[in-house]
């Protein structure tokens, strides 16, 4: 495979979040993209965020007419920005749910972008009668008793989409009775023999009823998808990030609500993972979170390649204290942390933007909100600590 490439930064920008774009590098700006009760839906949830090869910022999320998760008649929605999140085009539909019988819905979006081809994938749930916990085993794409995995694909910078069900492709064990893509954003590997591999994280329920994490991956630009080996027990929504040496770090929500994130390492590009451990540096109330490389273009083994960003609700018990953390050593330590919101903060997802800033899409409890900041906004914490 050839090495993936990142969209070129805008004039004056950097190849990573060293600058803050057009705003002050130490600033934190935010705006609402979807407000509950407006534009056709009483409830908006589940943010996903990415940047296309053309430099377009895409934000996706659920429109929920009943306020319910799957199997509600939800729709996957999207907004686009051509200026690194300063302004946004009107809300559009990637895949619309059906509120009348037979009720059908789509929930929990996650983007993966192929930097080699430009193709954009939006993974999400497709459900009729069953949700994640009461889905039955099976892979028939027309079975309404199964919660299915769907991937929508765009080859025109996210303007139009085609759809296909991949439940059978990513269910190697007949005993698996449910699966869903962890919302937010997947990754594409840049280093080593698996460079170019696309990876989207899933949570499954195995035959014993345990929740496990699994990497679903493609080595042929999304033509086919397969599941790696399930990892852990008591897992939930999980994300991966490629480390500076090419290993893959998995970071997971804990379905057993022990108050911290779970982590594991893969040496084979996400096919298998080692032992799952609890990272007590990362408090979490059992919530979705995000982990990314701050500098996507950084060379393998470089200092910049070791810089990771992590966003979550940094409370062990409540979905509050929205916090951004930074690690300079591949996630071994997290010495930098800054609260961006003290009140209600549910799901969040990060993406490095072409102008050198970082985008954050999150749930403040009233819908979907977008924020952007530069690393100096985070590093100000260290500067104040050293005074």
């Amino acid at each position: 495979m050839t090495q993936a490439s990142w969209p070129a930064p805008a004039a004056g920008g950097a190849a990573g979040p060293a600058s803050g774009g057009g705003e002050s590098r130490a600033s934190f700006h935010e705006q609402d993209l979807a407000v509950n009760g407006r534009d056709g839906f009483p409830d908006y949830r589940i943010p996903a965020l990415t940047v296309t090869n053309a430099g377009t910022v895409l934000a996706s999320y659920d429109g929920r007419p009943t306020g319910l998760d799957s199997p509600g008649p939800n729709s996957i929605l999207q907004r686009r920005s051509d200026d690194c999140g300063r302004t946004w085009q009107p809300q559009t539909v990637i895949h619309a749910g059906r509120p009348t019988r037979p009720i059908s819905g789509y929930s929990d979006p996650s983007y993966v972008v192929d930097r080699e081809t430009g193709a954009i994938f939006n993974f999400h749930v497709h459900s009729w009668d069953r949700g994640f916990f009461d889905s039955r085993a099976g892979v028939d794409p027309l079975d309404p008793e199964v919660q299915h995995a769907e991937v929508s694909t765009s080859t025109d910078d996210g303007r139009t989409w085609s759809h296909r069900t991949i439940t059978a492709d990513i269910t190697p064990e007949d005993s698996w009775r449910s699966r869903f893509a962890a919302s937010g954003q997947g990754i594409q590997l840049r280093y080593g023999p698996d460079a170019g591999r696309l990876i989207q994280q899933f949570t499954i329920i195995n035959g014993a009823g345990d929740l496990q994490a699994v990497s679903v991956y493609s080595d042929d630009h999304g033509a086919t998808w397969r599941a790696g080996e399930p990892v852990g027990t008591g897992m939930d929504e999980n994300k991966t990030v490629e480390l500076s040496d090419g290993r893959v770090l998995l970071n997971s929500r804990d379905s057993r609500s022990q108050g911290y994130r779970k982590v594991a390492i893969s040496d084979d590009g996400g096919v298998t993972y080692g032992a799952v451990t609890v990272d007590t540096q990362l408090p979490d109330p059992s919530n979705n979170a995000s982990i990314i490389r701050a500098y996507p273009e950084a060379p393998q083994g470089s200092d910049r390649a070791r810089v990771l960003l992590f966003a979550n609700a940094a409370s062990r018990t409540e979905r509050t204290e929205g916090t951004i953390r930074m690690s300079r050593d591949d996630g071994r330590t997290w010495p930098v942390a800054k609260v961006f919101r003290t009140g209600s903060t549910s799901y969040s997802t990060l993406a490095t933007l072409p102008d050198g800033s970082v985008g954050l899409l999150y749930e403040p409890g009233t819908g979907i909100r977008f924020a952007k900041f530069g690393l100096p906004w985070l590093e100000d914490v260290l500067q104040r600590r050293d005074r």
Side-chain angles (χ1 to χ4, degrees):
M1 295 181 180
T2 58
Q3 191 178 64
S5 61
W6 194 256
S19 72
E23 298 86 3
S24 167
R25 295 190 303 162
S27 65
F28 184 94
H29 297 273
E30 57 183 353
Q31 59 181 300
D32 288 324
L33 296 193
V35 177
N36 293 344
R38 300 181 188 174
D39 299 317
F41 291 90
D43 191 58
Y44 296 97
R45 281 216 62 198
I46 320 298
L49 186 69
T50 200
V51 178
T52 73
N53 281 8
T56 306
V57 184
L58 301 180
S60 184
Y61 44 88
D62 285 9
R64 297 185 169 185
T66 62
L68 299 176
D69 199 351
S70 169
N74 305 326
S75 296
I76 302 294
L77 308 176
Q78 180 177 265
R79 295 191 69 176
R80 300 164 51 86
S81 174
D82 296 323
D83 55 9
C84 289
R86 293 178 182 85
T87 62
W88 294 83
Q89 296 174 19
Q91 181 173 282
T92 59
V93 179
I94 290 179
H95 211 169
R98 178 187 174 94
T100 58
R101 295 196 176 278
I103 293 172
S104 179
Y106 306 91
S107 308
D108 291 41
S110 181
Y111 287 113
V112 177
V113 177
D114 189 327
R115 300 295 170 193
E116 297 175 20
T117 68
I120 306 159
F121 304 94
N122 187 299
F123 289 82
H124 43 262
V125 163
H126 179 201
S127 59
W128 282 282
D129 298 340
R130 300 289 183 96
F132 177 64
F133 288 102
D134 62 354
S135 173
R136 73 177 186 183
V139 297
D140 181 350
L142 299 180
D143 188 342
E145 302 296 311
V146 174
Q147 178 174 277
H148 289 284
E150 180 177 278
V151 60
S152 299
T153 304
S154 174
T155 57
D156 59 2
D157 204 47
R159 294 179 178 85
T160 62
W161 300 84
S162 60
H163 317 288
R164 63 187 170 114
T165 300
I166 59 169
T167 308
D169 303 328
I170 65 168
T171 309
E173 299 290 337
D174 291 341
S175 61
W176 294 9
R177 65 176 177 83
S178 197
R179 81 288 299 150
F180 76 102
S183 60
Q185 184 174 199
I187 66 172
Q188 185 172 34
L189 300 183
R190 292 184 50 81
Y191 307 144
D194 298 312
R197 173 173 289 171
L198 306 171
I199 301 179
Q200 168 62 45
Q201 293 309 113
F202 272 72
T203 306
I204 68 161
I205 301 179
N206 65 20
D210 294 322
L211 271 67
Q212 296 185 284
V214 63
S215 291
V216 167
Y217 63 95
S218 175
D219 289 328
D220 55 12
H221 304 290
T224 61
W225 298 91
R226 65 182 69 182
E229 293 293 323
V231 56
T233 57
M235 309 296 275
D236 209 313
E237 288 156 318
N238 59 101
K239 303 294 173 57
T240 51
V241 64
E242 186 177 22
L243 301 180
S244 64
D245 59 4
R247 295 178 301 158
V248 176
L249 171 66
L250 182 149
N251 183 295
S252 180
R253 169 180 174 175
D254 175 20
S255 68
R256 295 172 179 169
S257 303
Q258 299 176 93
Y260 297 103
R261 303 292 292 183
K262 292 179 173 180
V263 296
I265 295 285
S266 173
D267 295 318
D268 58 8
V271 179
T272 63
Y273 288 85
V276 175
T277 60
V278 175
D279 190 340
T280 57
Q281 299 175 91
L282 301 177
D284 188 84
S286 189
N287 194 17
N288 203 357
S290 178
I291 187 167
I292 65 169
R293 282 253 303 279
Y295 299 95
E297 286 281 273
Q300 183 173 0
S302 66
D303 288 344
R304 283 194 168 195
R306 296 183 179 91
V307 181
L308 306 182
L309 300 177
F310 177 79
N312 80 326
S315 164
R316 294 189 62 192
T317 57
E318 299 179 295
R319 291 184 173 184
T320 59
E321 299 297 314
T323 301
I324 308 292
R325 298 180 189 271
M326 182 170 66
S327 169
R328 294 191 178 96
D329 56 10
D330 278 330
R332 294 181 182 88
T333 63
W334 297 90
V336 181
K338 192 166 185 178
V339 175
F340 65 85
R341 179 176 172 82
T342 58
S344 175
T345 311
S346 292
Y347 289 16
S348 58
T349 188
L350 296 163
T352 301
L353 306 182
D355 67 354
S357 62
V358 180
L360 167 71
L361 198 65
Y362 76 98
E363 298 176 326
T366 56
I368 303 294
R369 184 171 294 172
F370 175 79
K372 63 185 298 187
F373 61 92
L375 285 193
W377 175 79
L378 274 177
E379 291 167 337
D380 179 60
V381 175
L382 290 180
Q383 295 170 3
R384 292 199 311 269
R385 190 180 300 163
D386 294 337
R387 288 172 188 166

